[in-house]
Amino acid sequence: GYRTLILRHARPEDAASRIGLQVQDIVRLAKDIGRAERPVAIWDQAVTWRRGGVADALAIHALNVLTGALERPGGICVQQPLPVPSLDELSPAPTPARKGAGPALNDSDWADRVLEGASSPVDVLFLYQANPIASSPDPEKVRRALERIPLVISFSPFLDETARYAHLVLPDHTFLERWGDAPAPPTLPYPVWGVVQPVVPPLHDSRATGDVLLELASRIGGGVASAFPWSSMKDLIRERGTRLSQARRGGAFVSRFRRDELREMEARGWWIAHGQNPGDFWEGLRRSGGWFDPFHEDRGRSAASRRPDGRVALFPEEGRHLFSGALPGLLEGPASGSRSVRLMPYRVMTLSSGTTPLMPWLLENIGPLSGAAWGSWVEIHPETARELGLGSARKVRVVSDHGSFTARLCLFEGAQPGVVNAPYGLHTRVEGWGSIEPANPLRAVGAARD
């Protein structure tokens, strides 16, 4: 099927003309992949976030299908579902249905929906782990939408860009001060459920968002209170962990020797409960930091497809339905001009995401690399800089059909020629540290979505 199609009809010279690489580079890479004992092709969110990213990700993942890297050691393993009960399964009463509510808002159209009618369709907006003014390519539209909503409540522990437009700020604990749980990302071959516990007491007058919502449900009373009977997030996390004892698989985090023992016993059909009751089982999870099941059954690639015929669909019908009407935009690259470059926004690894960049002292981490710790910068290859007549540390404006932003230029040998890398998610406007407007590369990206 697919393998034969590629070998017979995918000519390197055809691909080279489309993607801007030399034929010899494509052939060399293909030979390296063909000779490798366990080749695997991976990508990160920076690929799928940009326009055309889904098509790029499908092309990258197609290499794993072509080389047979699905469901084998050193390849792509599909993580089994986590046996942690959901809120609906834990709740002693069904959650009351929404009455008189229209279709739910989503992150791509909520501002348009708020602004389009004579009055806002939203009476109250909760903002949790969200800073849409900073993350939107059109912050002015977001500001107008926030000003139109009667009550905006932010749970941000920092006075970020969006929290300044909230009517009420109820600061959450920071990640070191609160209870929570942490399911493993799909990059692990087996399921993991981590228990997040506070390591320090709250420094300021803050409160966990989950505790606020649970108290709201209790005050509403009736069916809502019955559906959310827990008094705190700690109680909710404890009940989820206790219910894991009913899964009859996996266990608390253990040493490598014990992990191998657990995996070997499960492979033979045994589960080592060690005679623990649910309460002791939870205590074991809490002390060790979580639950995991290291046994991964080698089920072959047919199990990864989740299709009755066991075949792997590179672009399943469900995906075609979701992207109907948008496929031409997905598969077309940006138009290239004589002096144009491709814009690649990315997150700075040392600052991660979320609220971390709002801690002013952490911004100094990026200073030695960029020379612009307290401002924004863009990176281009020295050869691209020479073609454009630009020098290092120069202030430049990046312009597209959608918008523009200003930043300091940083020459970087690791940048791809013809590409400008732009960090985003930086917050340089901090009270007491001056008033520097952060450069938001998303202004130049625009609102186009896959």
Side-chain angles (χ1 to χ4, degrees):
Y2 177 67
R3 183 185 181 94
T4 302
L5 180 70
I6 292 295
L7 293 177
R8 288 182 179 175
H9 302 290
R11 296 179 175 85
E13 56 270 24
D14 295 337
S17 64
R18 296 183 61 185
I19 63 179
L21 289 179
Q22 299 297 317
V23 172
Q24 57 267 30
D25 293 331
I26 298 176
V27 173
R28 175 182 53 79
L29 180 59
K31 288 182 178 294
D32 288 342
I33 293 175
R35 294 191 190 103
E37 183 178 352
R38 288 288 185 267
V40 62
I42 60 174
W43 71 94
D44 66 1
Q45 291 171 319
V47 170
T48 53
W49 277 343
R50 66 174 183 260
R51 181 172 174 83
V54 171
D56 292 343
L58 289 172
I60 294 171
H61 197 48
L63 286 173
N64 296 313
V65 178
L66 185 65
T67 58
L70 296 182
E71 288 293 339
R72 75 175 186 191
I76 301 295
C77 297
V78 179
Q79 188 183 113
Q80 297 301 297
L82 190 66
V84 177
S86 65
L87 279 179
D88 288 337
E89 294 169 328
L90 286 177
S91 178
T95 305
R98 298 184 303 157
K99 296 181 179 179
L105 302 180
N106 59 59
D107 65 337
S108 63
D109 70 353
W110 72 272
D112 293 324
R113 295 266 301 279
V114 169
L115 294 171
E116 66 185 5
S119 60
S120 170
V122 179
D123 296 323
V124 182
L125 177 67
F126 288 160
L127 293 167
Y128 174 69
Q129 303 271 324
N131 186 4
I133 288 182
S135 61
S136 170
D138 191 351
E140 292 303 324
K141 185 202 304 183
V142 174
R143 288 190 181 98
R144 296 198 308 272
L146 291 173
E147 291 171 347
R148 199 173 192 192
I149 298 173
L151 179 59
V152 177
I153 301 174
S154 171
F155 292 100
S156 173
F158 300 94
L159 194 58
D160 57 37
E161 291 88 342
T162 308
R164 300 170 188 273
Y165 287 83
H167 302 93
L168 186 62
V169 178
L170 303 176
D172 197 344
H173 300 321
T174 63
F175 64 95
L176 297 174
E177 302 168 334
R178 60 174 174 244
W179 282 88
D181 60 354
T187 47
L188 281 179
Y190 48 78
V192 175
W193 184 72
V195 180
V196 180
Q197 305 173 68
V199 296
V200 294
L203 182 63
H204 299 291
D205 184 17
S206 56
R207 191 179 183 195
T209 302
D211 292 348
V212 175
L213 297 180
L214 289 173
E215 183 175 342
L216 279 176
S218 175
R219 294 193 181 195
I220 291 174
V224 176
S226 300
F228 300 94
W230 306 279
S231 60
S232 66
M233 282 297 295
K234 180 179 179 180
D235 293 340
L236 174 56
I237 299 300
R238 182 195 298 116
E239 183 164 352
R240 297 189 82 184
T242 302
R243 292 285 190 95
L244 270 173
S245 64
Q246 301 174 10
R248 303 196 65 79
R249 53 180 280 211
F253 293 162
V254 291
S255 64
R256 182 167 183 173
F257 177 82
R258 290 288 310 283
R259 181 197 67 188
D260 294 341
E261 176 193 20
L262 181 64
R263 182 171 54 213
E264 181 65 21
M265 295 297 288
E266 282 201 34
R268 300 181 182 207
W270 296 85
W271 179 63
I272 309 176
H274 300 295
Q276 292 180 325
N277 60 48
D280 293 338
F281 189 85
W282 156 250
E283 280 300 314
L285 300 187
R286 187 190 64 78
R287 287 193 301 268
S288 69
W291 175 97
F292 78 134
D293 183 7
F295 174 63
H296 182 86
E297 186 177 5
D298 187 9
R299 302 164 299 146
R301 68 179 185 183
S302 62
S305 73
R306 299 182 182 178
R307 296 168 62 91
D309 57 8
R311 299 175 68 181
V312 177
L314 287 178
F315 198 4
E317 289 302 320
E318 297 87 346
R320 292 183 180 276
H321 175 71
L322 288 173
F323 292 118
S324 60
L327 282 176
L330 274 178
L331 304 176
E332 294 174 1
S336 59
S338 58
R339 296 177 63 84
S340 65
V341 291
R342 178 190 288 265
L343 177 63
M344 292 286 292
Y346 74 97
R347 287 196 184 277
V348 180
M349 185 179 295
T350 52
L351 294 180
S352 183
S353 59
T355 58
T356 307
L358 286 164
M359 302 178 185
W361 60 274
L362 282 178
L363 289 173
E364 295 183 2
N365 285 339
I366 56 182
L369 296 177
S370 66
W374 299 102
S376 299
W377 74 96
V378 292
E379 305 160 357
I380 62 174
H381 192 274
E383 182 62 32
T384 303
R386 283 193 291 270
E387 293 175 359
L388 298 176
L390 300 174
S392 180
R394 185 173 175 177
K395 196 172 184 180
V396 297
R397 178 172 291 277
V398 182
V399 182
S400 77
D401 293 338
H402 304 287
S404 64
F405 66 96
T406 303
R408 188 176 299 276
L409 187 66
C410 177
L411 303 187
F412 179 43
E413 292 280 354
Q416 181 179 349
V419 169
V420 53
N421 300 321
Y424 74 101
L426 302 179
H427 305 266
T428 53
R429 180 188 289 277
V430 183
E431 292 297 328
W433 294 78
S435 180
I436 307 172
E437 181 69 30
N440 184 0
L442 300 182
R443 292 174 180 262
V445 174
R449 286 173 170 263
D450 272 352

